[in-house]
Amino acid sequence: MERLVLNRCTSSDLVIEFGSGDGSPVIHSLLRTPFQGKIHGYELTDTACKLAQARIAQYELSDKYIVRNQCFFEGWQQSGANYLIANPPYLPAPDNDIYMPSLHGGVDGAAITKRLFTVGCDRVLSLISAYSNPVETIEYAIACGYQVIDFTIAPLEFGYYSSESKVRETISALKSARKAFYSPNIYLLAGVLFEKQGRGSQDLSAELRQVMTAF
């Protein structure tokens, strides 16, 4: 978030955030950067929203970071933002009857991620999992008029929620269909900065696809 978004922003930039949680990632980033714009976050869970608001007040960041207990897809239209940041749910499963329903990202894990590209912000920073149909996600972003201008990759082990049998069975089926890519030990999680095409930046979409399908 710091390298891909906050260090690129100017004081006139407005950022919207899908799913703020307790606000920790943004708060920690704001404390480490000279960001002077504004971030409007949207969080559906009342408890998490109240915790985020309390932490924002504690660190005296209310002039830079505002979190609302509201559906993102209803609230963002009020903002006129040019940046969107998101860590969307990406667990693939036939339905949301899983250990943590809020982490369900649709049958292929990419449903909500794809929907973010319909918002229309100039730049979108989203996490993309290699086991959640990454190639079609990138292609969908391109079809929506975006290109990849930067990304960072982290190898992760399968955790408690991604190891649930229902989820792992879905991931395995996606791998058989060449829609999920992982090794027995790890999968790759990418933080990807998309930008509207035609702004002069170099397109790294092909490189991102190559990395995400390495396993």
Side-chain angles (χ1 to χ4, degrees):
M1 186 187 306
E2 295 168 39
R3 182 176 70 82
L4 298 181
V5 174
L6 298 187
N7 286 333
R8 299 174 187 249
C9 289
T10 68
S11 59
S12 61
D13 283 318
L14 181 61
V15 181
I16 50 176
E17 179 189 27
F18 172 88
S20 303
D22 64 5
S24 294
V26 170
I27 290 171
H28 292 158
S29 294
L30 287 175
L31 293 173
R32 292 192 294 257
T33 64
F35 176 76
Q36 294 299 317
K38 289 187 181 297
I39 301 174
H40 290 264
Y42 298 89
E43 173 55 50
L44 273 177
T45 305
D46 182 65
T47 303
C49 181
K50 289 179 179 177
L51 182 56
Q53 292 169 342
R55 288 179 172 174
I56 291 167
Q58 176 186 353
Y59 289 101
E60 300 181 346
L61 293 171
S62 300
D63 60 329
K64 296 181 180 180
Y65 190 24
I66 301 166
V67 174
R68 296 178 174 85
N69 187 198
Q70 184 180 11
C71 173
F72 171 85
F73 292 106
E74 296 173 359
W76 72 268
Q77 301 176 51
Q78 307 166 11
S79 67
N82 46 351
Y83 276 86
L84 163 59
I85 56 177
N87 178 10
Y90 56 79
L91 288 184
D95 52 58
N96 68 353
D97 185 19
I98 55 178
Y99 291 151
M100 185 65 75
S102 62
L103 298 181
H104 183 235
V107 175
D108 67 351
I112 297 176
T113 305
K114 289 178 180 178
R115 189 177 177 188
L116 294 174
F117 296 109
T118 67
V119 171
C121 288
D122 293 337
R123 288 182 171 182
V124 177
L125 172 64
S126 179
L127 295 188
I128 295 179
S129 167
Y131 64 60
S132 303
N133 206 358
V135 174
E136 287 189 20
T137 302
I138 296 166
E139 291 174 348
Y140 185 85
I142 293 171
C144 289
Y146 288 92
Q147 63 184 21
V148 176
I149 64 167
D150 205 349
F151 62 87
T152 184
I153 301 285
L156 298 178
E157 296 181 354
F158 285 89
Y160 179 76
Y161 299 114
S162 56
S163 296
E164 181 181 359
S165 59
K166 189 174 186 177
V167 174
R168 285 304 295 265
E169 288 170 4
T170 305
I171 292 172
S172 179
L174 289 170
K175 185 172 186 178
S176 297
R178 296 291 294 167
K179 294 184 177 183
F181 308 88
Y182 56 92
S183 77
N185 300 315
I186 63 169
Y187 69 95
L188 300 178
L189 185 65
V192 186
L193 182 61
F194 296 88
E195 183 181 75
K196 283 288 188 179
Q197 298 167 8
R199 295 179 178 270
S201 300
Q202 185 177 15
D203 184 12
L204 302 177
S205 302
E207 289 82 354
L208 177 61
R209 280 194 293 262
Q210 183 176 5
V211 173
M212 295 298 278
T213 59
F215 297 119

